[in-house]
Amino acid sequence: MPTGTLLLIDDEAMLRQAVARTLELEGYTVHQAPDAMRGLDLLRQHAAEILVVLSDVKLPDGRGLDLLPRYKTLAPLAEVVLLTAYGTIADGVRAMKEGAFDYLTKGDADDQLVVVVERAAEKARLQRRVADLEKKVGAQYSFDSMIGHAPALEQAKRLAQRAAPTDSTVLLEGPTGAGKELFAQAIHQASARRSKPFVAVNCSAFPKDLLESELFGYRKGAFTGALADKKGLLEEASGGTIFLDEIGELELNVQAKFLRVLETQQFTKLGDTRPTSVDVRIVAATNRNLREEADAGNFRPDLYYRLAVFIVPVPGLNERRADVPELANYFLQFFAAKLRRRLRGLEPEALEQLVCHDWRGNVRELKNVLERAAILADGDTLTVDDLPPEFHHLPPAPGLDEATDRSLRTLEQRQIRQVLLDTGGNKMEAARQLGIGTKTLYRKIQEYGL
């Protein structure tokens, strides 16, 4: 049986009560109002729950057609069905243009009314689900959802947040795997274009001879195999944002065509003679120094200066080591849930290894390491032995010279030997006193030749 809340506004009491009774028998909750003023008050109070507004066209204090924009303003996700005693084609056309779901004549069969209301309610339910999904996506790709508080990351976030509400072109500079696409998504979600498409294009993933047709589209017959017109990704993103990752990979001829898009919001498709107009915001990313590429003749200087309206440097993980523990625990819990395993956290030594590692692959590499470790972990705590082999010998932490590292190793060796002596060789008790896992202790015994 259908469920949901409706609002019925009609000054004819007997008719209003009869319609309300019919809809209540179908399972709906119906609020009733005899005039526009009380109807608007009820809509204001229950906007979050009302799916459909059924309004008489002729009310004592207003006309339904004139009130329609006010209904939509107070409850933008609700649908409006207008009721009239004397329907005309002109009024029906106007009602639909103004955003009404349907226009019914009073006295029509109850079955027709119920069918129209259910269709309107289903559309309203769908709109609410879409709105909820958009909120979740917005939260997932917001600046607040970014993990970490290192100064370099906070500086990048501040810059990106300043640029986000504008339509200015943004260039994200940073190493591969640092999270440039996450920044692009956050910029889009913080802009007025958030409800429009976000189209991500990895320029290095397309063969060079295909990238132009994918970006700009083509007309039927433009080349062998072009059997029908095709929209390009720029058209698909119109109204929203296009994110061009690794833009330094663009061929020079495509760069020239893309420059025209930045300057005029127009381009010419392959096989076409007329320009196509779009309304699209450009966010680009690169792991290269495009200024140096332009000086070397590998990138158009005029395109670089058009892209570099607002540059945001996205830091690599080595520049934000303080964020490694928080990121590592986040990824560990993510993969534990995915693998349906209970993993409480990481041993201090394992965490130290991660902090001191040279993260050439940045956040993406850290994510992969934690996924592998979550699969291999035997217990409920991640140990050094669960990490890849390159983590099994701790390199000197930044700022420590080789002599200091030797003295630390000597102290560790002496401490382990002493605890083993004190416990009479009981390795489980020794591991407990040392605050490390038994597997780690066995590895240390082997490493130090104890």
Side-chain angles (χ1 to χ4, degrees):
M1 179 177 284
T3 58
T5 304
L6 314 176
L7 172 61
L8 175 59
I9 309 172
D10 198 312
D11 60 328
E12 297 181 48
M14 290 183 64
L15 179 63
R16 185 179 70 245
Q17 289 166 9
V19 171
R21 180 61 178 161
T22 298
L23 294 171
E24 285 170 347
L25 289 172
E26 292 294 324
Y28 294 104
T29 300
V30 183
H31 295 293
Q32 300 182 45
D35 52 47
M37 183 180 72
R38 276 175 278 191
L40 290 169
D41 282 343
L42 282 170
L43 185 58
R44 197 175 290 110
Q45 294 170 33
H46 303 283
E49 60 193 69
I50 289 174
L51 297 175
V52 183
V53 177
L54 295 101
S55 173
D56 191 2
V57 167
K58 194 173 182 180
L59 294 166
D61 52 352
R63 296 184 71 244
L65 283 169
D66 297 329
L67 291 164
L68 185 54
R70 296 185 67 183
Y71 296 151
K72 298 299 285 185
T73 299
L74 287 173
L77 298 179
E79 291 299 320
V80 179
V81 176
L82 294 178
L83 307 172
T84 180
Y86 308 100
T88 66
I89 293 175
D91 281 346
V93 169
R94 181 188 166 192
M96 304 302 278
K97 284 184 176 179
E98 293 283 346
F101 180 83
D102 211 335
Y103 186 84
L104 296 178
T105 303
K106 292 180 181 180
D108 285 345
D110 289 346
D111 288 348
Q112 182 181 352
L113 173 68
V114 170
V115 168
V116 169
V117 168
E118 179 51 30
R119 283 172 41 222
E122 184 55 37
K123 183 179 177 185
R125 292 187 196 101
L126 178 61
Q127 288 173 164
R128 288 167 189 266
R129 287 196 292 270
V130 170
D132 288 342
L133 183 59
E134 286 176 348
K135 284 181 183 178
K136 289 178 182 176
V137 170
Q140 181 182 357
Y141 292 110
S142 68
F143 289 106
D144 292 337
S145 70
M146 293 183 182
I147 298 170
H149 303 282
L153 179 66
E154 291 296 325
Q155 173 66 11
K157 285 164 63 174
R158 281 194 294 270
L159 285 171
Q161 285 172 317
R162 295 292 294 272
T166 73
D167 268 344
S168 297
T169 302
V170 177
L171 179 62
L172 303 168
E173 294 184 335
T176 300
K180 298 189 290 294
E181 185 168 348
L182 184 59
F183 265 84
Q185 284 270 19
I187 289 170
H188 174 71
Q189 290 297 331
S191 75
R193 297 174 178 264
R194 67 180 68 87
S195 61
K196 300 298 182 180
F198 175 87
V199 177
V201 184
N202 187 339
C203 298
S204 64
F206 288 96
K208 295 184 184 299
D209 55 342
L210 286 181
L211 184 56
E212 182 178 359
S213 63
E214 289 295 326
L215 276 175
F216 303 105
Y218 52 79
R219 290 295 184 194
K220 179 181 178 180
F223 51 85
T224 303
L227 303 178
D229 292 350
K230 176 181 169 61
K231 269 188 178 183
L233 294 171
L234 278 164
E235 273 187 283
E236 297 288 352
S238 191
T241 303
I242 189 165
F243 171 56
L244 297 169
D245 197 9
E246 306 304 348
I247 195 170
E249 300 293 332
L250 289 181
E251 292 282 282
L252 288 172
N253 66 312
V254 181
Q255 291 179 27
K257 203 166 180 177
F258 194 71
L259 177 62
R260 177 168 170 77
V261 176
L262 282 167
E263 291 175 340
T264 67
Q265 292 276 291
Q266 290 186 331
F267 60 89
T268 303
K269 295 182 179 183
L270 293 171
D272 203 354
T273 57
R274 294 177 301 175
T276 298
S277 296
V278 290
D279 171 25
V280 65
R281 185 193 191 167
I282 310 295
V283 178
T286 180
N287 63 356
R288 301 182 184 183
N289 187 321
L290 288 189
R291 184 189 288 272
E292 291 180 359
E293 293 290 311
D295 292 341
N298 299 324
F299 200 83
R300 290 181 63 106
D302 47 2
L303 177 57
Y304 168 71
Y305 290 114
R306 287 291 299 173
L307 288 170
V309 173
F310 200 96
I311 297 177
V312 177
V314 180
L317 194 53
N318 288 338
E319 298 174 66
R320 40 182 293 222
R321 290 182 184 276
D323 292 337
V324 170
E326 189 176 356
L327 283 164
N329 277 294
Y330 170 80
F331 288 133
L332 181 63
Q333 295 310 315
F334 174 82
F335 289 117
K338 188 176 178 180
L339 297 167
R340 298 181 181 178
R341 299 194 55 190
R342 184 177 178 181
L343 294 170
R344 292 185 302 164
L346 297 94
E347 278 192 355
E349 188 181 7
L351 199 54
E352 186 181 0
Q353 296 276 16
L354 294 176
V355 171
C356 294
H357 183 66
D358 181 17
W359 294 104
R360 297 180 184 180
N362 296 291
V363 178
R364 188 177 298 153
E365 182 188 357
L366 175 63
K367 182 179 179 181
N368 293 341
V369 166
L370 266 297
E371 181 175 11
R372 177 188 186 276
I375 294 170
L376 292 177
D378 290 329
D380 59 0
T381 304
L382 210 69
T383 70
V384 173
D385 294 319
D386 300 319
L387 299 176
E390 60 267 27
F391 290 85
H392 291 178
H393 295 284
L394 183 65
L400 294 180
D401 59 25
E402 197 174 318
T404 306
D405 181 52
R406 280 200 302 269
S407 67
L408 288 173
R409 288 172 61 82
T410 301
L411 286 171
E412 183 179 57
Q413 181 180 356
R414 289 174 179 169
Q415 180 68 9
I416 292 172
R417 179 185 290 111
Q418 186 59 52
V419 172
L420 284 169
L421 288 170
D422 293 344
T423 59
N426 185 327
K427 296 179 180 60
M428 289 186 66
E429 177 60 22
R432 189 190 67 78
Q433 291 187 20
L434 289 165
I436 60 176
T438 308
K439 287 166 60 177
T440 302
L441 177 60
Y442 274 102
R443 182 175 56 78
K444 291 290 184 183
I445 291 171
Q446 185 177 8
E447 180 181 342
Y448 293 135
L450 300 177

